[in-house]
Amino acid sequence: MADFFAIEQESPMITDAAELERLDQKSQFHPFTSIADLAKEGPTVMTSGQGVRVRDAHGRDYLDGMAGLWCVNLGYGRTEITEAITRQSERLSFFHTFNGMTSDVVAECADALLKRAPVPMSRVFFGASGSDANETQLKLIWYYNNLRGKPEKKKIIARWNSYHGSGVATASLTGLPGMHNYFDLPKGPILHVSAPYYYRDAPEGMSERDFSRKLARELEEVIEREGADTIAAFFAEAVMGAGGLIPPPEGYFDEISAILKKHDILLVADEVVSGFGRLGTYWGSQTYGYEPDLITSAKGVTSGYFPMSVCFISPKVWDVIEGAAAQTGIFGHGYTYSAHPVGAAAALAALKLIDELEVVKNVADVGPHLMNGLRDRLGQHPHVGDIRGQGLMVGIELAKDRATKEGFPPANRTGREVLKAAAKRGLITRALGDTLVFAPPLVINRAEVDELVDKFALAVGDVLG
Ligand SMILES: Cc1ncc(COP(=O)(O)O)c(C=O)c1O
């Protein structure tokens, strides 16, 4: 790996921390940021990264417990990827895939991806973000049902607390009211059913399996109420990420999949976070044993080194689309940056590293180590209500009263206080309300996991005693 901390010293750019903070604050409109908080506290400016760590403009180092935004799965400073990007930029910096065009590296990348699919898939469709990939899926679903003579079958079911992106359709699909309010969303034929939030929503004493059955009954009631001939697809993350780190209760996907099959409803696996090893299997669907008809992936495919998304399309959907091609003519969908050759080179390098470094095996080892470490240190803490997750996707939900599960008043912003305390101790986490989340690079080792747990436990103590 290159020493990116050293490269930073040679950078010709502005290095004065206060100046960088000032420039950013007066010029950038930040995504998913409170304008009021930013005005008060200013931005945190990162300047370099190496392995599982990043450094800010003040020279402070942090263990990045979030792998950026759950994406830098192979860690920072991976020269295998940066050199592949450099070589490709020099050789062929761009070419497109419209009108049957492509590039060598893209052809190879598409094949490499299909070979890694969890179930047989016919084609991959490239984009540049998880949001645009889910937009593609929605359009494909509607296209597919029109072509197979079911134009009424259009409604999409997603879950409350889900996150599927930030576009008009994908934010509508997302089950987070904070992304709907003031934006005139949701739009379109979208329905939401309950999240599989066992800790908060399961009736007292109900087993996980029974809670899964309860949710399946709710889904079936919605389908029957609306009419199965009007429902096209169900979108699901394997473990809900941005909506509160919610893993499915036991048997959830068995129950749901059976209902979807019965009613001829497509299952779209949103594997934007869970794909490429995060849960300790290559795909989240393999952890829970379900078979998607469509898969959305992004983030880990290039380990965040280049914006790229990949939709996987099953034979069931592809055969209909291909079969109608003489009638439909040009497939009227795509992006300038669909299948960017530099992204494809980054993806090929990342896929190779995932195999060579045995990243999935590492997650299967350090994931439980992280969970055990958190439970040992914080499992009995009076203000830790729940510690949950799978692989390297873990959430710690705080509670004012551990016994009754009563939360802290939202105005206290307790989760955010813990996040700030962790940052002071050199650890990056993310606060989803009062659930603190970790999704570190998948190459993290046991010693680094121990450091993460230690810093986090101290930060919880700083705020909550
Ligand atoms: C499950 C899931 N789907 C889709 C997206 C959207 O991806 P992007 O931010 O690349 O548009 C995200 C982003 O975090 C995600 O977590």
Side-chain angles (χ1 to χ4, degrees):
M1 284 208 256
D3 187 350
F4 276 60
F5 290 147
I7 289 171
E8 179 194 354
Q9 308 306 321
E10 300 159 13
S11 162
M13 296 185 298
I14 299 166
T15 54
D16 180 67
E19 175 67 354
L20 288 165
E21 287 160 2
R22 193 185 65 79
L23 289 178
D24 186 87
Q25 202 167 12
K26 77 175 179 66
S27 32
Q28 197 199 162
F29 191 170
H30 283 247
F32 290 100
T33 298
S34 152
I35 293 172
D37 289 342
L38 187 66
K40 219 171 353 153
E41 297 166 11
T44 302
V45 183
M46 294 302 178
T47 55
S48 58
Q50 183 67 37
V52 298
R53 291 170 211 281
V54 287
R55 179 172 292 172
D56 73 14
H58 295 275
R60 289 184 293 240
D61 290 345
Y62 304 81
L63 199 169
D64 184 3
M66 275 307 294
L69 283 173
W70 355 61
C71 58
V72 188
N73 289 359
L74 296 163
Y76 298 90
R78 275 274 159 207
T79 49
E80 297 89 336
I81 309 177
T82 58
E83 284 167 8
I85 287 173
T86 306
R87 277 196 306 273
Q88 184 61 40
S89 311
E90 288 169 356
R91 195 164 63 79
L92 181 66
S93 57
F94 177 80
F95 212 75
H96 65 89
T97 44
F98 288 22
N99 300 322
M101 306 302 283
T102 190
S103 52
D104 47 7
V105 71
V106 164
E108 193 181 332
C109 182
D111 178 64
L113 285 162
L114 272 189
K115 286 190 173 124
R116 286 163 172 80
V119 290
M121 288 283 172
S122 293
R123 290 292 187 279
V124 287
F125 188 94
F126 290 103
S129 73
S131 301
D132 74 42
N134 275 331
E135 298 274 335
T136 295
Q137 302 286 31
L138 285 167
K139 287 177 72 181
L140 281 180
I141 291 160
W142 292 328
Y143 196 75
Y144 157 79
N145 275 333
N146 286 336
L147 294 179
R148 68 187 186 120
K150 294 186 187 270
E152 303 302 318
K153 208 167 166 63
K154 288 292 158 53
K155 292 177 197 159
I156 310 288
I157 303 179
R159 293 141 346 136
W160 292 114
N161 291 70
S162 65
Y163 187 81
H164 298 296
S166 218
V168 171
T170 49
S172 297
L173 209 53
T174 292
L176 298 172
M179 287 178 63
H180 298 162
N181 302 338
Y182 305 106
F183 289 112
D184 295 331
L185 297 177
K187 289 250 186 287
I190 287 164
L191 305 163
H192 290 102
V193 294
S194 298
Y197 199 169
Y198 182 74
Y199 171 68
R200 282 250 157 255
D201 297 342
E204 186 70 29
M206 181 178 271
S207 71
E208 288 196 24
R209 188 79 212 197
D210 283 344
F211 186 54
S212 295
R213 289 197 186 100
K214 179 175 183 291
L215 294 169
R217 271 198 305 279
E218 180 200 333
L219 175 66
E220 190 144 40
E221 277 162 21
V222 170
I223 294 168
E224 280 165 3
R225 184 191 72 212
E226 300 285 327
D229 53 350
T230 72
I231 314 268
F234 180 83
F235 274 66
E237 300 154 84
V239 172
M240 289 183 149
L245 210 299
I246 304 169
E250 191 204 323
Y252 176 79
F253 278 105
D254 296 342
E255 300 284 341
I256 298 290
S257 299
I259 291 171
L260 299 176
K261 275 208 181 84
K262 180 171 143 197
H263 293 289
D264 182 29
I265 294 168
L266 297 172
L267 172 55
V268 187
D270 186 336
E271 297 252 18
V272 167
V273 170
S274 55
F276 305 101
R278 178 148 300 280
L279 302 186
T281 50
Y282 208 92
W283 298 98
S285 64
Q286 293 166 324
T287 296
Y288 299 111
Y290 55 96
E291 290 195 4
D293 299 300
L294 296 161
I295 300 171
T296 308
S297 69
K299 298 191 190 264
V301 66
T302 64
S303 200
Y305 280 68
F306 198 89
M308 174 179 263
S309 61
V310 187
C311 297
F312 291 77
I313 298 141
S314 66
K316 184 174 175 179
V317 176
W318 172 252
D319 290 350
V320 169
I321 293 176
E322 189 184 36
Q327 160 204 336
T328 51
I330 283 177
F331 176 65
H333 173 77
Y335 310 104
T336 300
Y337 298 126
S338 285
H340 196 299
V342 178
L348 278 172
L351 295 176
K352 192 155 169 262
L353 278 174
I354 293 170
D355 296 347
E356 284 173 5
L357 301 174
E358 299 190 315
V359 163
V360 181
K361 207 163 132 202
N362 187 55
V363 177
D365 174 52
V366 296
H369 186 65
L370 172 60
M371 184 63 85
N372 293 338
L374 288 168
R375 287 192 171 146
D376 282 351
R377 285 292 289 274
L378 291 166
Q380 300 308 314
H381 191 286
H383 296 304
V384 172
D386 192 28
I387 304 177
R388 56 178 178 258
Q390 183 72 39
L392 284 177
M393 221 177 149
V394 177
I396 302 96
E397 183 161 343
L398 306 175
K400 184 170 163 213
D401 185 332
R402 187 183 151 75
T404 63
K405 301 185 185 175
E406 182 194 345
F408 287 103
N412 290 12
R413 304 177 82 191
T414 311
R416 194 161 186 275
E417 290 306 311
V418 173
L419 172 143
K420 288 202 272 185
K424 277 205 187 108
R425 290 187 174 273
L427 173 67
I428 295 179
T429 174
R430 186 161 165 197
L432 305 169
D434 285 345
T435 299
L436 282 303
V437 174
F438 291 106
L442 308 186
V443 292
I444 194 168
N445 62 35
R446 280 178 165 240
E448 289 160 341
V449 166
D450 292 342
E451 181 187 336
L452 182 159
V453 170
D454 189 50
K455 288 190 156 127
F456 182 66
L458 293 170
V460 170
D462 293 342
V463 178
L464 298 169

